Amino acid sequence: MPPPSEEFELLSAYLDNALTARQRQALEARLAASSELRDQLDELRAMCALLRATPALKPPRDFRLDPARYARRAWWSRLDILRLTGALGAAAAALLLALGILLASAPSAPSDSIALQATDISTPAMTARMFAPTPTTPVLAVAPLMATVAPLAADALEPFRATPEVAMEAAMLMATETAPGDASAAASEMPDMPEAALPPVARLLILLGALLLIISGVLFFIGTFRARL
Amino acid sequence: MSDPQAQSDDLTLVARARRGEVQAFNDLVLRYQSAMYNLAFRLLDDADLAADATQDAFIAAFQRLPQFRGSNFRAWLARIVTNACYDALRRRRRAPLSLEELSAERAEGNAQPALVSDSDESPEQLAMRRALSEAIQDCLNQLPLSFRTVAILSDVQGYSYDEIALALNLSLGTVKSRLSRARQKLRDCLRAVRELFPSAYHLLEQEDETP
């Protein structure tokens, strides 16, 4: 015969059908032999029935959430849009970075080579052919972007304020291409131009690319993190 | 009690609510607000605290919905409600009521909220059930909090051992032994109730006979 509290635990678990087969058989044998134990079980059973019949209380108010207030979670749960934006942004960033690196490496340090180019008539024409289409397009495309980014990163963009000059030079280089005869004249003017006019475009592209990469990364991270939350 | 149909309906609603459908979540609220409010009230014995805890719990549940794993929404919700109640108790212990507030509460008759009642219930029956509700509450109040929680979930609300283990993050063995000790204490307290409410027991016996 187990001690009373153990006995009670057996009866309690027996009511909930939570005994092992062996425990149940042992208890049932003792129940059959002891009317006292049967009374205990009956009392416990009646008490549980009473508790189960505890009168239900009416909730004093409705606990539904106000959709107008909580609907904004819908935005959070549409995480795939965040992640998609992040991924597309990263792709665009990679493109910008690639373009920037290409621009930075292709001219083989133009500031140094300007003097050399001035001596060789064919070189400025060649560089012009190489760069005339590229600088104009990125500059045009990048200018509005820069306008939006400028307030955010005014300091960072300080070196790129020379963009109009870049455009000017690009136009001038185009002019050299259309009129190769003036190439030497144009080339002789070149040293007067601000130093390293092309690399800033490349640097701008790289900076924008890096910025976009960071933003995309953050978006993607938020998307992924929110999904796990 | 954890009927599989109800559980799968819950999971459908949970999936929709996770996609941001507040309406789907509100369907879950409608389904469970009565049970959860009753759980909170039986734990706290305070109508206002219980209402606040229930509301907090539903908001928290909505916000933590993406964390819900598993298949038993009711047990998960009970866990959040229980924790909200424990928080409320901790706050109350830190800022106990002043004597004036206490006497004001007493003057309000320490009011239990209205009972859910059938329209065909006689005033006498309603009064009897009301007294029973208060007597059971008095006995529950005498239990230590951890025993009270297990007793309410199991015997008042009909949760299985598995669900309680899930809701309270306890082992099955702990659920079994805590419930046994809670019942032992409740038995001694409710013996007096039994003498006070023989008709309640009588009522139950009649109900038992009619399936």
Side-chain angles (χ1 to χ4, degrees):
Chain A
M1 187 96 173
S5 68
E6 245 173 70
E7 185 91 290
F8 191 89
E9 189 170 326
L10 284 172
L11 289 175
S12 167
Y14 178 70
L15 274 185
D16 296 321
N17 219 350
L19 290 182
T20 62
R22 177 175 290 196
Q23 283 174 316
R24 194 178 62 229
Q25 279 164 11
L27 183 67
E28 278 171 351
R30 276 188 289 121
L31 278 167
S34 160
S35 66
E36 198 194 326
L37 202 57
R38 282 199 299 278
D39 288 346
Q40 268 197 54
L41 182 66
D42 287 343
E43 187 187 19
L44 187 58
R45 188 181 277 133
M47 185 197 75
C48 289
L50 179 74
L51 284 171
R52 196 73 187 89
T54 301
L57 305 160
K58 242 184 252 167
R61 59 177 198 249
D62 193 327
F63 296 108
R64 276 179 291 179
L65 307 187
D66 174 11
R69 190 168 161 198
Y70 290 93
R72 79 190 144 78
R73 228 193 66 86
W75 181 82
W76 286 114
S77 54
R78 258 187 259 131
L79 303 157
D80 289 345
I81 285 185
L82 273 182
R83 292 167 71 170
L84 189 70
T85 314
L88 285 177
L95 209 70
L96 279 180
L97 284 174
L99 212 65
I101 289 165
L102 202 74
L103 276 179
S105 58
S108 60
S111 54
D112 299 336
S113 60
I114 279 169
L116 288 170
Q117 285 166 13
T119 61
D120 187 352
I121 292 174
S122 69
T123 328
M126 199 191 76
T127 38
R129 221 177 298 119
M130 269 177 76
F131 292 109
T134 24
T136 42
T137 22
V139 162
L140 285 178
V142 157
L145 255 176
M146 205 177 68
T148 56
V149 178
L152 292 171
D155 296 341
L157 286 175
E158 195 65 44
F160 306 110
R161 290 271 161 75
T163 319
E165 291 160 86
V166 174
M168 236 176 71
E169 199 199 353
M172 197 195 69
L173 284 171
M174 270 164 83
T176 53
E177 195 188 20
T178 48
D182 298 338
S184 57
S188 67
E189 263 182 78
M190 283 188 99
D192 297 330
M193 297 303 292
E195 199 196 353
L198 280 176
V201 181
R203 262 191 274 163
L204 176 64
L205 287 177
I206 291 171
L207 184 85
L208 279 176
L211 213 69
L212 197 58
L213 196 67
I214 291 168
I215 294 169
S216 307
V218 168
L219 282 180
F220 197 83
F221 178 77
I222 291 174
T224 312
F225 181 69
R226 284 276 155 184
R228 301 257 164 83
L229 221 103
Chain B
M1 261 320 268
S2 51
D3 135 47
Q5 180 59 44
Q7 266 193 29
S8 92
D9 290 353
D10 281 358
L11 294 181
T12 311
L13 288 170
V14 165
R16 282 174 50 206
R18 264 187 180 158
R19 290 195 294 266
E21 277 187 59
V22 184
Q23 192 49 55
F25 185 77
N26 279 342
D27 287 350
L28 287 165
V29 175
L30 278 182
R31 203 177 259 220
Y32 288 111
Q33 63 180 355
S34 182
M36 293 304 148
Y37 177 74
N38 273 273
L39 167 61
F41 182 85
R42 293 298 171 194
L43 270 170
L44 297 169
D45 190 25
D46 184 309
D48 293 336
L49 279 184
D52 290 346
T54 309
Q55 186 69 77
D56 290 351
F58 275 122
I59 292 169
F62 183 66
Q63 285 162 347
R64 290 183 218 155
L65 216 48
Q67 293 169 42
F68 170 64
R69 300 276 181 279
S71 56
N72 196 323
F73 182 72
R74 175 173 93 140
W76 184 73
L77 201 54
R79 177 195 206 117
I80 297 177
V81 171
T82 308
N83 286 334
C85 290
Y86 290 175
D87 286 346
L89 285 173
R90 262 194 295 273
R91 276 196 300 272
R92 188 166 65 179
R93 217 171 301 142
R94 236 181 283 136
L97 295 178
S98 67
L99 274 177
E100 292 81 38
E101 285 170 318
L102 266 178
S103 57
E105 289 235 322
R106 289 278 141 73
E108 283 167 25
N110 200 13
Q112 277 201 358
L115 299 188
V116 176
S117 97
D118 293 337
S119 51
D120 61 347
E121 193 175 29
S122 74
E124 291 77 23
Q125 278 176 316
L126 185 61
M128 194 276 292
R129 286 204 308 130
R130 194 163 182 82
L132 177 65
S133 170
E134 281 163 12
I136 289 175
Q137 187 66 51
D138 286 344
C139 288
L140 286 172
N141 290 351
Q142 289 173 24
L143 295 177
L145 188 58
S146 60
F147 290 6
R148 200 189 313 162
T149 312
V150 173
I152 293 168
L153 285 175
S154 166
D155 289 354
V156 178
Q157 301 221 316
Y159 283 65
S160 69
Y161 285 22
D162 287 321
E163 286 180 296
I164 297 170
L166 204 62
L168 303 180
N169 204 14
L170 299 172
S171 71
L172 281 177
T174 310
V175 172
K176 201 199 271 190
S177 72
R178 276 196 195 166
L179 183 59
S180 161
R181 292 172 66 187
R183 281 172 172 171
Q184 219 167 346
K185 285 171 189 281
L186 279 173
R187 179 191 60 182
D188 299 337
C189 179
L190 285 167
R191 266 184 188 149
V193 177
R194 187 174 195 171
E195 281 152 26
L196 278 171
F197 300 99
S199 55
Y201 273 81
H202 188 61
L203 215 70
L204 286 171
E205 277 151 24
Q206 280 179 336
E207 274 173 15
D208 283 348
E209 281 155 27
T210 52

